[in-house]
């Protein structure tokens, strides 16, 4: 007897093609990009911009996102930043209304949420074992939020009666206020500050003033962040760009009914990831000229940035270059030498630590350049060998890779495997890919999915991208794994919301990018004759 979940190539392929066309049209129609609402960012606007339209909806969004255990956000250390942000915001509402002598609408709900949130925070911080993920500016954000909560608790509103007097939050083990104090002093001194600070300007506080060079750029955003923009407005007064910054916040509030995302805009990031991923998967599509030209024009001497107000980085630059090479507009990746450390490539100069996916994407960019230009300078080939070896050295003993820009090892592993498979050099490449395939195969869930905390369409798509590159035909066991994963993906890929897995100040979801990853995986299955021609033996 044989059983299988077998894709129907004709109908499924046409469905994918139609979805891809719709998705590409959206890249043009929504140039800011599509990012799901963020608890962290929305809560910051509750505190910083109560005047902004949609304030009540943002408060309701924060309340509705609270978990049964009192926290917000993903499991483990990922919960700390959104929980601190939510608690501080709800406290700010209660304290602001108490100071104005008015009763807060839904006061008991807010007070109850604050009680549960503080209880969760006290427990986590007292435990001493909380492991914080490597998310941007976490060593500034956590101290700033703890400081804000403690300030509220020093003079709590009457609605929090019953809370132990003198309750104060501490910091996680190994963290201090030192760097936050240093940043505030640097800004107050008038000295030049790093460009990446603009993205988390909300941690600074009004006393430090406005740093030189930090302000609204394209679309009115400060640091591609609603929270940073609201914080800038709070101290800018009638400065140039104020109207544009307000319009930016108002537009975001209207787009999602009050709650706001982070980061945004992500124009180059979204377009580069979508176009490169579809092209790599062999999806047939006509790239609109304006999309290609927007990537060409985004590149400068140091590459390009994820969004306006953020510094250029090797990750976005590499994916942009790879996409252009795939789309018939190859550009020499010389700007990437700016990020060369000698052993690997940094996401930006002076980066603490290193990123697997950034280096996988640099390998993609160099490999694509070598494919388009066999006569390229020898240092590109040498770098491809060096990066291949470095990625192999970073692989964990179980076959997986982990990264600082995504919560899931399936993303990092897929990025590394696809880069090594297409552009890897040296004797260790095949072994590294083989170990990754074994790890992927062993991690499939009974329903056919893959995922770090639970099965998700996004992570299942990454796993399929790894398995589908093995060759034709697939061995029987892997073929069954692919078809089972395909069945799961086909029934879940179009369902919003996708869980937040990407590293920002809080975990976030770049919705269109995730959708493109799933469409590319579906295409890879339906385009394989060995997967569509006959049932898989059980």
């Amino acid at each position: 007897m044989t059983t299988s979940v077998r894709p129907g190539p004709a109908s499924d392929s046409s469905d994918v093609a139609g979805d891809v066309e719709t998705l590409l049209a959206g890249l043009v129609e929504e140039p800011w990009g599509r990012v799901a609402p963020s608890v962290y960012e929305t809560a910051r606007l509750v505190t910083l911009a109560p005047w902004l339209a949609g304030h009540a909806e943002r408060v309701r969004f924060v309340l509705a996102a609270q978990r049964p255990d009192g926290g917000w956000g993903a499991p483990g250390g990922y919960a700390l930043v959104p929980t601190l942000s939510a608690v501080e915001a709800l406290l700010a509402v209660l304290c602001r209304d108490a100071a104005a002598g008015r009763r807060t609408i839904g006061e008991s709900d807010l007070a109850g949420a604050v009680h549960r949130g503080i209880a969760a925070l006290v427990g986590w911080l007292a435990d001493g074992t909380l492991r914080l993920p490597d998310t941007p500016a976490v060593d500034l954000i956590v101290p700033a939020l703890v400081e804000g909560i403690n300030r509220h608790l020093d003079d709590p509103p009457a609605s929090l009666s019953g809370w132990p007097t003198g309750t104060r939050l501490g910091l996680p083990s190994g963290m201090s206020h030192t760097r936050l104090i240093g940043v505030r002093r640097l800004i107050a001194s008038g000295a030049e500050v790093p460009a990446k600070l603009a993205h988390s300007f909300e941690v600074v506080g009004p006393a430090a003033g406005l740093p030189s060079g930090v302000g609204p750029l394209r679309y009115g955003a400060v640091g591609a962040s609603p929270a940073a923009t609201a914080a800038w407005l709070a101290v800018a007064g009638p400065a140039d760009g104020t109207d544009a910054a307000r319009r930016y916040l108002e537009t975001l509030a209207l787009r999602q009914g009050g709650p706001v995302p982070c980061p945004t805009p992500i124009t180059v990031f979204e377009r580069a990831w979508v176009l490169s991923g579809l092209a790599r998967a062999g999806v047939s599509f006509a790239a609109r000229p304006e999309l290609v030209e927007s990537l060409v024009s985004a590149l400068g001497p140091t590459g390009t940035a994820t969004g306006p107000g953020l510094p250029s980085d090797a990750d976005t630059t590499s994916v942009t270059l790879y996409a252009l090479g795939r789309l018939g507009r190859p550009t020499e990746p010389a700007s990437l030498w700016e990020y060369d450390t000698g052993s690997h490539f940094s996401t930006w100069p002076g980066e603490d630590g290193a990123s697997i996916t950034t280096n996988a994407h640099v390998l993609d960019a160099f490999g694509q350049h070598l494919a388009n230009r066999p006569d390229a300078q020898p240092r590109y080939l040498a770098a491809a060998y060096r990066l291949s070896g470095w990625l192999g050295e970073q692989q964990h003993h179980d076959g997986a890779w982990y990264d600082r820009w995504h919560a899931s090892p399936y993303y990092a592993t897929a990025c590394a495997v696809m880069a090594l498979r297409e552009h890897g050099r040296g004797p260790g490449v095949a072994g590294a890919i083989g170990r990754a395939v074994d790890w992927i195969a062993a991690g499939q869930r009974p329903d056919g999915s893959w995922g770090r905390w639970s099965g998700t369409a996004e992570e299942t798509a990454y796993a399929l991208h790894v398995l589908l590159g093995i060759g034709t035909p697939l061995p029987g066991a892997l073929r069954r794994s692919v078809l089972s994963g395909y069945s799961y993906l086909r029934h879940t890929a179009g369902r919003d919301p996708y869980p937040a897995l990407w590293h920002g100040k809080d975990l976030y979801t770049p919705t269109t990018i995730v959708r493109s990853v799933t469409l590319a995986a579906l295409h890879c299955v339906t385009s394989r004759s060995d997967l569509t021609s006959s049932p898989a033996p059980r």
Side-chain angles (χ1 to χ4, degrees), residues 102-145:
R102 59 176 178 260
R103 185 171 180 80
T104 302
I105 298 174
E107 183 177 278
S108 62
D109 291 337
L110 268 68
V114 169
H115 272 282
R116 294 191 299 276
I118 291 178
L121 289 167
V122 169
W124 298 340
L125 294 170
D127 181 72
T129 62
L130 189 69
R131 294 185 61 187
L132 294 184
D134 183 16
T135 51
V138 66
D139 56 341
L140 298 176
I141 290 171
V142 170
L145 289 173

Side-chain angles (χ1 to χ4, degrees), residues 239-315:
D240 290 343
T242 300
D243 289 344
R246 286 178 178 270
R247 285 194 299 272
Y248 164 76
L249 293 179
E250 289 164 357
T251 300
L252 285 179
L254 288 172
R255 288 180 77 186
Q256 303 195 23
V260 294
C262 186
T264 195
I266 56 166
T267 309
V268 176
F269 171 45
E270 182 181 80
R271 292 176 177 185
W273 259 254
V274 169
L275 295 174
S276 65
L278 293 175
R280 190 201 290 268
V283 178
S284 178
F285 65 92
R288 299 190 180 197
E290 59 264 50
L291 294 178
V292 178
E293 291 304 322
S294 71
L295 296 184
V296 172
S297 63
L299 291 169
T302 59
T304 187
T306 291
L310 299 176
S312 297
D313 67 84
D315 200 24

Side-chain angles (χ1 to χ4, degrees), residues 24-41:
L24 293 175
L27 294 181
V28 176
E29 294 163 3
E30 299 182 74
W32 288 19
R34 291 185 61 207
V35 184
S38 158
V39 169
Y40 169 82
E41 208 79 9

Side-chain angles (χ1 to χ4, degrees), residues 22-235:
T22 301
L23 184 143
L24 293 175
L27 294 181
V28 176
E29 294 163 3
E30 299 182 74
W32 288 19
R34 291 185 61 207
V35 184
S38 158
V39 169
Y40 169 82
E41 208 79 9
T42 299
R44 291 302 80 228
L45 259 63
V46 168
T47 295
L48 294 165
W51 48 266
L52 182 66
H55 175 72
E57 289 77 11
R58 284 187 287 280
V59 173
R60 285 195 286 270
F61 172 81
V62 172
L63 283 172
Q66 190 172 28
R67 306 183 321 207
D69 68 351
W72 278 262
Y78 284 103
L80 183 62
V81 165
T83 301
L84 287 169
S85 187
V87 167
E88 194 285 329
L90 298 180
L91 272 169
V93 172
L94 292 170
C95 291
R96 196 158 45 219
D97 286 351
R102 59 176 178 260
R103 185 171 180 80
T104 302
I105 298 174
E107 183 177 278
S108 62
D109 291 337
L110 268 68
V114 169
H115 272 282
R116 294 191 299 276
I118 291 178
L121 289 167
V122 169
W124 298 340
L125 294 170
D127 181 72
T129 62
L130 189 69
R131 294 185 61 187
L132 294 184
D134 183 16
T135 51
V138 66
D139 56 341
L140 298 176
I141 290 171
V142 170
L145 289 173
V146 167
E147 177 184 83
I149 290 172
N150 286 338
R151 188 163 49 244
H152 293 312
L153 293 177
D154 286 341
D155 186 19
S159 54
L160 286 185
S161 60
W163 193 259
T165 303
T167 296
R168 294 181 68 81
L169 296 180
L171 293 176
S173 177
M175 185 176 286
S176 74
H177 290 273
T178 302
R179 185 159 181 254
L180 178 61
I181 293 169
V183 166
R184 288 173 173 170
R185 286 176 176 169
L186 181 67
I187 291 174
S189 74
E192 185 177 353
V193 299
K196 64 181 180 180
L197 178 64
H199 186 56
S200 52
F201 182 66
E202 68 275 8
V203 307
V204 174
L210 288 177
S212 174
V214 173
L217 295 179
R218 192 180 180 191
Y219 306 120
V222 175
S225 162
T229 305
W232 182 86
L233 275 169
V235 297

Side-chain angles (χ1 to χ4, degrees), residues 34 36-37 457 491-499 509-512 514-515 518:
R34 291 185 61 207
H491 290 98
T492 59
R495 296 179 186 172
D496 281 336
Y498 295 108
T509 306
T511 309
T512 300
V514 174
R515 179 63 173 148
T518 63

